[in-house]
Amino acid sequence: MYRFLSDSANLKAVFGSYSTLEALRVKCNIEQAVKRLSIPSAALLEQMQQEGLNLADIEPAVKDNAEWAVMSETVIRSHLRSTFLAEDKLYAALSALSLSQQAEVRDLLQVVVGYLHLPSETLLKRMAEEGLTLDKLGVKSSTAQVDNVRNKLNALNQQHRAQAPLADNQQRTLDAVAGIRQRIKQLGETQLRDTNEKPSETVTQSDANDPERAAENVVTFSAMQEKLKAKA
């Protein structure tokens, strides 16, 4: 596949055959596929090469499909045309290349994309301002939807992290209130127990201080002494 994705003549011919709406789709598909692949930048690859690191020397060789060699130019261009119109197909084709080949094809695509019949940025901006977005034109990709979902998840995670300290403070407050209630309950039980014990002590003490009750006790004791003397 690398052989044909790196053929500038075929790419220029294919890109020039797209309609304006198709050209918009192709441009979007290229951008999304390259983004998904995370290909090293040209500046990084150049610095690596200057310092003696070359991707072609350290990555395994990728075998090209021999069936492409027997295909006619018309069939090849037809296949390339459909490949660039579908992001998943384009991503699969680029994924089959080595990293150095991906970088080379990416740089080439950035050049030949100029052969697409694209509307001006001014027109696209005016269309978007009046609600005629690319989504409404059918120019969208699954990757864009995934990015949208990922952005929403990131926003929810940030919101959760922001609310976490507040939840912790609320829990600490609830724990403190529960501790205070438990302490009040213990104090109440202690006071009730003390109250129940004091009447018996009070009655005993009052009996000792009551003259009549004391006299009764003396008479009873005297009677017991008289009985003991009589028996003796």
Side-chain angles (χ1 to χ4, degrees):
M1 190 66 183
Y2 165 74
R3 173 183 173 186
F4 302 99
L5 286 174
S6 60
D7 187 340
S8 61
N10 273 330
L11 290 175
K12 290 176 182 178
V14 170
F15 281 22
S17 68
Y18 290 123
S19 66
T20 302
L21 185 57
E22 289 175 334
L24 284 171
R25 291 175 181 169
V26 169
K27 183 176 182 294
C28 179
N29 290 341
I30 292 174
E31 292 174 349
Q32 296 296 340
V34 169
K35 181 180 179 181
R36 290 171 63 184
L37 288 169
S38 299
I39 304 172
S41 65
L44 175 59
L45 293 175
E46 182 179 357
Q47 182 178 357
M48 290 173 61
Q49 190 171 10
Q50 290 175 354
E51 299 188 20
L53 292 176
N54 194 332
L55 287 179
D57 297 334
I58 60 178
E59 62 188 4
V62 178
K63 295 182 179 180
D64 203 357
N65 194 337
E67 294 181 359
W68 285 90
V70 296
M71 290 183 180
S72 66
E73 187 175 81
T74 302
V75 174
I76 292 174
R77 290 185 179 183
S78 176
H79 183 79
L80 287 175
R81 194 176 195 282
S82 63
T83 297
F84 281 96
L85 283 173
E87 181 192 338
D88 290 340
K89 287 185 178 181
L90 178 59
Y91 176 76
L94 292 174
S95 297
L97 307 180
S98 66
L99 190 56
S100 60
Q101 290 174 343
Q102 291 175 359
E104 183 180 345
V105 171
R106 176 203 57 194
D107 295 342
L108 177 60
L109 292 178
Q110 290 176 349
V111 175
V112 298
V113 75
Y115 287 82
L116 293 172
H117 302 297
L118 295 168
S120 65
E121 291 297 329
T122 302
L123 176 60
L124 291 175
K125 182 178 180 181
R126 182 176 179 181
M127 290 168 59
E129 289 174 349
E130 298 190 17
L132 193 56
T133 62
L134 294 181
D135 285 345
K136 289 187 178 181
L137 295 177
V139 182
K140 56 185 178 180
S141 66
S142 58
T143 303
Q145 296 174 355
V146 171
D147 289 341
N148 187 30
V149 173
R150 185 182 296 111
N151 292 335
K152 290 182 179 180
L153 288 176
N154 291 335
L156 289 175
N157 289 333
Q158 292 177 358
Q159 182 178 0
H160 175 73
R161 286 194 294 268
Q163 293 177 347
L166 178 60
D168 292 341
N169 291 335
Q170 291 177 343
Q171 186 59 46
R172 285 194 292 269
T173 301
L174 292 176
D175 293 341
V177 171
I180 293 173
R181 288 178 177 174
Q182 183 63 24
R183 180 59 178 164
I184 293 174
K185 182 179 178 182
Q186 292 174 351
L187 291 174
E189 292 175 350
T190 302
Q191 184 177 5
L192 179 61
R193 185 170 59 253
D194 293 344
T195 302
N196 292 333
E197 292 175 353
K198 285 180 179 180
S200 59
E201 296 175 358
T202 304
V203 171
T204 302
Q205 184 177 5
S206 62
D207 290 345
N209 295 330
D210 189 346
E212 296 181 358
R213 188 64 60 85
E216 291 177 359
N217 291 337
V218 171
V219 171
T220 302
F221 181 72
S222 299
M224 290 178 65
Q225 283 183 331
E226 291 296 332
K227 288 181 181 181
L228 289 174
K229 287 179 181 181
K231 289 181 179 180

